[in-house]
Amino acid sequence: MSLSLFLSQHGSRMTAQWTLSLLLSACLFRASCSAPAIPRPPRSLHPVRGFNNSGGSLSVDLPMALRVFSVDYHHVQAPFEIVLWIMLASLAKLGFHWSGRLPAVVPESCLLIMVGLLVGGVIYGVRHSAPPTLSADAFFLFLLPPIVLDAGYFLPGRLFFENLGTILWYAVVGTLWNVLGIGLSLYSLCLLAPGSLGDISLLHCLLFGSLIAAVDPVAVLSVFQEMHVNEQLRILVFGESLLNDAVTVVLYKLFESFLRMPSVSGLDVLLGGCRVLVVGMGGLFVGLFFGLIAALTSRFTSGAQVIAPLFVFLYSYLSYLTSEMLHLSGIMAIVTCAVTMKQYVEANVSERSNTSIQYFLKMWSSVSETLIFIFLGVSTIQDVHMWSWPFVCSTLLLCLVWRATGVLLLTAVVNKLRRNTVTFRDQFIIAYGGLRGAICFSLVFLIDDFPKKRLFITTTIVVILFTVFVQGMTIKPLVELLDVKKEKGALPSVSEEIHSRLIDHLLAGIEDVVGYWGQHYWKDRFDQFNVKYLRRILIREDHQACSSILRVYQELERQEQRGDEDVPPPISVLIKGTQTAAYSRHTLHQDAGTRKPLHRHQSLEERSTINTQVGLFSSKMSTKH
C-alpha cells in the first residue's frame, strides 16, 4: 500500500515537472529561433528507470541503451551562436586590418556592414526567410553601454569642459531644430500626397524625425578617429553625437507617449518639456552618485587589487541600468559616472589594474561596435520593406539640409561668445559628419504597428547606408581638400603642461579681480574644492600627492603609459621634428619606435623610485619658495 502510494505521488509530481519543463523549453526555443520548437525528453547521462503512465496505468520502463556518441545542439544553441557571431565579427575586423591599402580608402564601418549584408544574403538564400535582426533590448542593454563607457572613460576632460557650452548648444538646440524641421517638413509632404502618404499623422512624422535625427557616436567615432582632425573639431563632433543620442531618445519616448494618448493638450506639451529636463538631469545625478560610490569603493581595494577593475564596470553598468529602470537617460548616466570616477580610480588602483581596465574597455567596446555594424548589414535583408520614392528621397534631402542650416545658424550665434571661433571649414565637417547608425535603426523597430511602419524602416535603412557609405567614404578626401587643421604632430613636454596650467591660474585670477565669473574662475574653484575635500575622501592617504607638481607628473605618466588618443602623452623629452605615430582606437599604445618617453618601461620598483625623487624635488622647491 505504501509503495503504490509513493509511486502515485511521485509519478504525478514528475509528470507535472516534465510538462512544465517542456513548456519552458518550447517558449525559450521559439523565442530564439523562427522554426517551431520540438519538445524533447529530459537528457539522462546514465541508464535509469523511468515511470510511464501512458494509458492511465503506471508502469516501470526498461533501462535505456547507453549511447557512445550523441549530439545535443539545442542544449548549447544560445551560447554557441553568440560565440559564432563574436568570432565572425573579430575575424572581419582582423581581415580589415590585414587588407593592405583598403583601410585608407574604405572606413571600417562600411566594410563591416558589407560583411553583414553578405552574411544576411547567405542566410536568406539558405533558409528562404528573413535573417535574425538586432533587437532593441539587445542593443540598448548590452551593446551600447560598453561603447559609451569607453568614450566617457577616455574623454579628454579639459577639452570637453572647455567646449561644454558649445557642445550642449549643438546637442540640445540643434537636435530640436533637426527633429522639428524634419518632422514638420515630412508632414507637409504627406499633405501634398494624400493618396499614398495620407495616413501618416503629424505625431508619426515627429516621431520619425526624432529617431532619424539621432547622430550615432559609434559611426562618428569609427570615421573621425581615422582622420586625426584637430582636437577642437573632434571634441565638438564627438561630444555633440554623444549627447545628441540622449536628447533624441528622450524626444522619441515623449512623442511615443503622445501617440498613445487619445488627445494632446497644451498642458501635455508643457509637461513633456519638463519631462525632457527631468530625464536628462536625473540621468546626470544618477551617474554622479554611482561615480562617487565607485571612487570611494576603489579606495579600499588595496588588499584585493585583482577585483579592483571589476568595480569600474559594475558601477558604470549599474548606473545605466538604474537610469533605464527609472526612465531616465542611461547615456547621460554612464558618461557622467565614467567622467566622475576616472581620476580617483586611477589614483587608487595599481598600474596593473589600470592597464586591465584600459584593455578590457577597448576590447569590449571594439567587439560591441563590430557586432553592431555587422548586424546592421544582416538586418537589412528583410521581407518588410515598403518603398516610396517621394518619402525616401525627401527624408534623405531633409536630413542634409536641416543639419547644415542648423550648424550654420547655431555656430553664427555661438561664435560671438567664443574666443576660439569655429571656422567655416570646421562647420562644414560638423554638418557633413552627421552619420546615422544603430541608434535610429533600433528605435524604428520599436514603433507601434501602423500601416506605414515598413516605410519608416526602409527609409531609415536607406539613410543609414547613405550616410555611412557615401558621407563616411568621402569625408576624409574632403578634409584633405579643404585643408582642415589636423592635430599636433609633436608631443608636449612636462614644462609645457605646467606652463599651460600656470596660464589657467593667471586667467582665473584676472577674472576674479575684474569680477567676471568665467570658465577659468569656476574651474579654479572646483580644483580647490576637489583638492580640499574630494581627493582627501576618495583617494587613499598613501596615494595622495604632496604637491601639485607631483600630481601633474603622475597624471601625465598615466597618459603616457596608455597612449591616450585624446590627450597626447606629455611625458616625453622630444627632439624637434619628431612625429607622433598614427593612433588606432583599437590599440592602447603608439609605436614605441617613434617616441622617447621619460622612462623606458621600467619595473614597478624603478617607477616608484622616480616618483619618490620627483616628490623630494617638489618638496624642496616648495620649501625654497
Side-chain angles (χ1 to χ4, degrees), residues 349-367:
V349 302
S350 63
E351 294 182 9
R352 294 175 181 175
S353 297
N354 272 319
T355 303
S356 300
I357 294 171
Q358 293 154 13
Y359 270 103
F360 188 82
L361 282 178
K362 290 295 180 184
M363 180 271 296
W364 197 12
S365 64
S366 179
V367 171

PDB file of all heavy atoms in Angstrom, residues 349-367:
ATOM      1  N   VAL A 349      43.955  52.576  -7.679  1.00  0.00           N
ATOM      2  CA  VAL A 349      44.322  51.216  -8.066  1.00  0.00           C
ATOM      3  C   VAL A 349      45.755  51.185  -8.568  1.00  0.00           C
ATOM      4  O   VAL A 349      46.369  52.223  -8.847  1.00  0.00           O
ATOM      5  CB  VAL A 349      43.358  50.680  -9.148  1.00  0.00           C
ATOM      6  CG1 VAL A 349      41.926  50.710  -8.649  1.00  0.00           C
ATOM      7  CG2 VAL A 349      43.483  51.472 -10.441  1.00  0.00           C
ATOM      8  N   SER A 350      46.286  49.983  -8.691  1.00  0.00           N
ATOM      9  CA  SER A 350      47.668  49.805  -9.128  1.00  0.00           C
ATOM     10  C   SER A 350      47.790  50.008 -10.630  1.00  0.00           C
ATOM     11  O   SER A 350      46.787  50.105 -11.359  1.00  0.00           O
ATOM     12  CB  SER A 350      48.150  48.402  -8.759  1.00  0.00           C
ATOM     13  OG  SER A 350      47.383  47.422  -9.437  1.00  0.00           O
ATOM     14  N   GLU A 351      49.050  50.052 -11.102  1.00  0.00           N
ATOM     15  CA  GLU A 351      49.280  50.228 -12.527  1.00  0.00           C
ATOM     16  C   GLU A 351      48.747  49.040 -13.324  1.00  0.00           C
ATOM     17  O   GLU A 351      48.216  49.206 -14.430  1.00  0.00           O
ATOM     18  CB  GLU A 351      50.775  50.422 -12.786  1.00  0.00           C
ATOM     19  CG  GLU A 351      51.336  51.703 -12.205  1.00  0.00           C
ATOM     20  CD  GLU A 351      52.810  51.863 -12.526  1.00  0.00           C
ATOM     21  OE1 GLU A 351      53.331  51.063 -13.341  1.00  0.00           O
ATOM     22  OE2 GLU A 351      53.442  52.765 -11.967  1.00  0.00           O
ATOM     23  N   ARG A 352      48.887  47.854 -12.771  1.00  0.00           N
ATOM     24  CA  ARG A 352      48.392  46.677 -13.477  1.00  0.00           C
ATOM     25  C   ARG A 352      46.869  46.698 -13.568  1.00  0.00           C
ATOM     26  O   ARG A 352      46.292  46.306 -14.600  1.00  0.00           O
ATOM     27  CB  ARG A 352      48.866  45.414 -12.756  1.00  0.00           C
ATOM     28  CG  ARG A 352      50.384  45.228 -12.801  1.00  0.00           C
ATOM     29  CD  ARG A 352      50.823  44.041 -11.982  1.00  0.00           C
ATOM     30  NE  ARG A 352      52.267  43.880 -12.010  1.00  0.00           N
ATOM     31  CZ  ARG A 352      52.935  42.982 -11.300  1.00  0.00           C
ATOM     32  NH1 ARG A 352      52.268  42.159 -10.492  1.00  0.00           N
ATOM     33  NH2 ARG A 352      54.254  42.896 -11.392  1.00  0.00           N
ATOM     34  N   SER A 353      46.210  47.155 -12.528  1.00  0.00           N
ATOM     35  CA  SER A 353      44.746  47.262 -12.576  1.00  0.00           C
ATOM     36  C   SER A 353      44.306  48.318 -13.582  1.00  0.00           C
ATOM     37  O   SER A 353      43.320  48.124 -14.306  1.00  0.00           O
ATOM     38  CB  SER A 353      44.195  47.600 -11.188  1.00  0.00           C
ATOM     39  OG  SER A 353      44.476  46.567 -10.267  1.00  0.00           O
ATOM     40  N   ASN A 354      45.036  49.440 -13.647  1.00  0.00           N
ATOM     41  CA  ASN A 354      44.718  50.455 -14.651  1.00  0.00           C
ATOM     42  C   ASN A 354      44.870  49.908 -16.065  1.00  0.00           C
ATOM     43  O   ASN A 354      44.039  50.171 -16.935  1.00  0.00           O
ATOM     44  CB  ASN A 354      45.639  51.668 -14.475  1.00  0.00           C
ATOM     45  CG  ASN A 354      45.090  52.685 -13.489  1.00  0.00           C
ATOM     46  OD1 ASN A 354      43.894  52.968 -13.480  1.00  0.00           O
ATOM     47  ND2 ASN A 354      45.949  53.221 -12.650  1.00  0.00           N
ATOM     48  N   THR A 355      45.924  49.140 -16.275  1.00  0.00           N
ATOM     49  CA  THR A 355      46.112  48.530 -17.593  1.00  0.00           C
ATOM     50  C   THR A 355      44.992  47.558 -17.919  1.00  0.00           C
ATOM     51  O   THR A 355      44.499  47.512 -19.057  1.00  0.00           O
ATOM     52  CB  THR A 355      47.469  47.809 -17.640  1.00  0.00           C
ATOM     53  OG1 THR A 355      48.516  48.739 -17.319  1.00  0.00           O
ATOM     54  CG2 THR A 355      47.724  47.226 -19.020  1.00  0.00           C
ATOM     55  N   SER A 356      44.558  46.792 -16.924  1.00  0.00           N
ATOM     56  CA  SER A 356      43.453  45.850 -17.142  1.00  0.00           C
ATOM     57  C   SER A 356      42.172  46.597 -17.508  1.00  0.00           C
ATOM     58  O   SER A 356      41.437  46.183 -18.420  1.00  0.00           O
ATOM     59  CB  SER A 356      43.224  45.007 -15.887  1.00  0.00           C
ATOM     60  OG  SER A 356      44.378  44.272 -15.546  1.00  0.00           O
ATOM     61  N   ILE A 357      41.897  47.687 -16.818  1.00  0.00           N
ATOM     62  CA  ILE A 357      40.698  48.480 -17.118  1.00  0.00           C
ATOM     63  C   ILE A 357      40.751  49.007 -18.542  1.00  0.00           C
ATOM     64  O   ILE A 357      39.772  48.915 -19.298  1.00  0.00           O
ATOM     65  CB  ILE A 357      40.564  49.637 -16.111  1.00  0.00           C
ATOM     66  CG1 ILE A 357      40.287  49.096 -14.700  1.00  0.00           C
ATOM     67  CG2 ILE A 357      39.452  50.591 -16.528  1.00  0.00           C
ATOM     68  CD1 ILE A 357      40.359  50.160 -13.622  1.00  0.00           C
ATOM     69  N   GLN A 358      41.895  49.545 -18.919  1.00  0.00           N
ATOM     70  CA  GLN A 358      42.004  50.155 -20.239  1.00  0.00           C
ATOM     71  C   GLN A 358      41.876  49.118 -21.352  1.00  0.00           C
ATOM     72  O   GLN A 358      41.141  49.333 -22.338  1.00  0.00           O
ATOM     73  CB  GLN A 358      43.330  50.899 -20.337  1.00  0.00           C
ATOM     74  CG  GLN A 358      43.408  52.103 -19.418  1.00  0.00           C
ATOM     75  CD  GLN A 358      44.816  52.465 -19.025  1.00  0.00           C
ATOM     76  OE1 GLN A 358      45.782  51.971 -19.626  1.00  0.00           O
ATOM     77  NE2 GLN A 358      44.964  53.307 -18.019  1.00  0.00           N
ATOM     78  N   TYR A 359      42.555  47.986 -21.205  1.00  0.00           N
ATOM     79  CA  TYR A 359      42.492  46.966 -22.252  1.00  0.00           C
ATOM     80  C   TYR A 359      41.100  46.356 -22.339  1.00  0.00           C
ATOM     81  O   TYR A 359      40.592  46.100 -23.435  1.00  0.00           O
ATOM     82  CB  TYR A 359      43.526  45.868 -21.982  1.00  0.00           C
ATOM     83  CG  TYR A 359      44.860  46.143 -22.615  1.00  0.00           C
ATOM     84  CD1 TYR A 359      45.930  46.602 -21.860  1.00  0.00           C
ATOM     85  CD2 TYR A 359      45.050  45.950 -23.976  1.00  0.00           C
ATOM     86  CE1 TYR A 359      47.161  46.861 -22.435  1.00  0.00           C
ATOM     87  CE2 TYR A 359      46.274  46.211 -24.569  1.00  0.00           C
ATOM     88  CZ  TYR A 359      47.329  46.657 -23.790  1.00  0.00           C
ATOM     89  OH  TYR A 359      48.539  46.922 -24.379  1.00  0.00           O
ATOM     90  N   PHE A 360      40.465  46.103 -21.217  1.00  0.00           N
ATOM     91  CA  PHE A 360      39.144  45.485 -21.255  1.00  0.00           C
ATOM     92  C   PHE A 360      38.116  46.433 -21.858  1.00  0.00           C
ATOM     93  O   PHE A 360      37.238  46.009 -22.627  1.00  0.00           O
ATOM     94  CB  PHE A 360      38.717  45.062 -19.848  1.00  0.00           C
ATOM     95  CG  PHE A 360      37.459  44.242 -19.829  1.00  0.00           C
ATOM     96  CD1 PHE A 360      37.500  42.882 -20.080  1.00  0.00           C
ATOM     97  CD2 PHE A 360      36.231  44.831 -19.576  1.00  0.00           C
ATOM     98  CE1 PHE A 360      36.344  42.122 -20.080  1.00  0.00           C
ATOM     99  CE2 PHE A 360      35.066  44.090 -19.571  1.00  0.00           C
ATOM    100  CZ  PHE A 360      35.128  42.724 -19.823  1.00  0.00           C
ATOM    101  N   LEU A 361      38.201  47.723 -21.517  1.00  0.00           N
ATOM    102  CA  LEU A 361      37.267  48.688 -22.096  1.00  0.00           C
ATOM    103  C   LEU A 361      37.421  48.766 -23.606  1.00  0.00           C
ATOM    104  O   LEU A 361      36.424  48.788 -24.346  1.00  0.00           O
ATOM    105  CB  LEU A 361      37.489  50.074 -21.472  1.00  0.00           C
ATOM    106  CG  LEU A 361      36.906  50.310 -20.084  1.00  0.00           C
ATOM    107  CD1 LEU A 361      37.262  51.705 -19.594  1.00  0.00           C
ATOM    108  CD2 LEU A 361      35.403  50.145 -20.095  1.00  0.00           C
ATOM    109  N   LYS A 362      38.666  48.809 -24.080  1.00  0.00           N
ATOM    110  CA  LYS A 362      38.898  48.877 -25.519  1.00  0.00           C
ATOM    111  C   LYS A 362      38.403  47.614 -26.214  1.00  0.00           C
ATOM    112  O   LYS A 362      37.778  47.675 -27.284  1.00  0.00           O
ATOM    113  CB  LYS A 362      40.392  49.079 -25.797  1.00  0.00           C
ATOM    114  CG  LYS A 362      40.915  50.439 -25.422  1.00  0.00           C
ATOM    115  CD  LYS A 362      40.280  51.529 -26.265  1.00  0.00           C
ATOM    116  CE  LYS A 362      40.814  52.895 -25.897  1.00  0.00           C
ATOM    117  NZ  LYS A 362      40.146  53.979 -26.645  1.00  0.00           N
ATOM    118  N   MET A 363      38.688  46.453 -25.621  1.00  0.00           N
ATOM    119  CA  MET A 363      38.254  45.195 -26.217  1.00  0.00           C
ATOM    120  C   MET A 363      36.738  45.087 -26.249  1.00  0.00           C
ATOM    121  O   MET A 363      36.131  44.735 -27.271  1.00  0.00           O
ATOM    122  CB  MET A 363      38.858  44.025 -25.438  1.00  0.00           C
ATOM    123  CG  MET A 363      38.490  42.639 -25.951  1.00  0.00           C
ATOM    124  SD  MET A 363      36.980  41.968 -25.225  1.00  0.00           S
ATOM    125  CE  MET A 363      37.473  41.836 -23.508  1.00  0.00           C
ATOM    126  N   TRP A 364      36.107  45.431 -25.138  1.00  0.00           N
ATOM    127  CA  TRP A 364      34.653  45.321 -25.007  1.00  0.00           C
ATOM    128  C   TRP A 364      33.944  46.250 -25.981  1.00  0.00           C
ATOM    129  O   TRP A 364      33.019  45.842 -26.700  1.00  0.00           O
ATOM    130  CB  TRP A 364      34.272  45.653 -23.561  1.00  0.00           C
ATOM    131  CG  TRP A 364      32.903  45.208 -23.156  1.00  0.00           C
ATOM    132  CD1 TRP A 364      32.069  44.372 -23.830  1.00  0.00           C
ATOM    133  CD2 TRP A 364      32.217  45.583 -21.964  1.00  0.00           C
ATOM    134  NE1 TRP A 364      30.901  44.200 -23.134  1.00  0.00           N
ATOM    135  CE2 TRP A 364      30.959  44.933 -21.988  1.00  0.00           C
ATOM    136  CE3 TRP A 364      32.535  46.392 -20.879  1.00  0.00           C
ATOM    137  CZ2 TRP A 364      30.027  45.082 -20.970  1.00  0.00           C
ATOM    138  CZ3 TRP A 364      31.612  46.538 -19.862  1.00  0.00           C
ATOM    139  CH2 TRP A 364      30.374  45.876 -19.907  1.00  0.00           C
ATOM    140  N   SER A 365      34.383  47.495 -26.061  1.00  0.00           N
ATOM    141  CA  SER A 365      33.738  48.448 -26.964  1.00  0.00           C
ATOM    142  C   SER A 365      34.004  48.101 -28.427  1.00  0.00           C
ATOM    143  O   SER A 365      33.119  48.275 -29.280  1.00  0.00           O
ATOM    144  CB  SER A 365      34.232  49.867 -26.671  1.00  0.00           C
ATOM    145  OG  SER A 365      35.613  49.981 -26.925  1.00  0.00           O
ATOM    146  N   SER A 366      35.195  47.603 -28.726  1.00  0.00           N
ATOM    147  CA  SER A 366      35.508  47.247 -30.103  1.00  0.00           C
ATOM    148  C   SER A 366      34.651  46.092 -30.588  1.00  0.00           C
ATOM    149  O   SER A 366      34.128  46.110 -31.712  1.00  0.00           O
ATOM    150  CB  SER A 366      36.997  46.892 -30.217  1.00  0.00           C
ATOM    151  OG  SER A 366      37.324  46.532 -31.535  1.00  0.00           O
ATOM    152  N   VAL A 367      34.464  45.068 -29.757  1.00  0.00           N
ATOM    153  CA  VAL A 367      33.619  43.928 -30.132  1.00  0.00           C
ATOM    154  C   VAL A 367      32.165  44.378 -30.292  1.00  0.00           C
ATOM    155  O   VAL A 367      31.476  43.976 -31.246  1.00  0.00           O
ATOM    156  CB  VAL A 367      33.747  42.808 -29.088  1.00  0.00           C
ATOM    157  CG1 VAL A 367      32.715  41.709 -29.343  1.00  0.00           C
ATOM    158  CG2 VAL A 367      35.143  42.214 -29.119  1.00  0.00           C
TER     159      VAL A 367
END
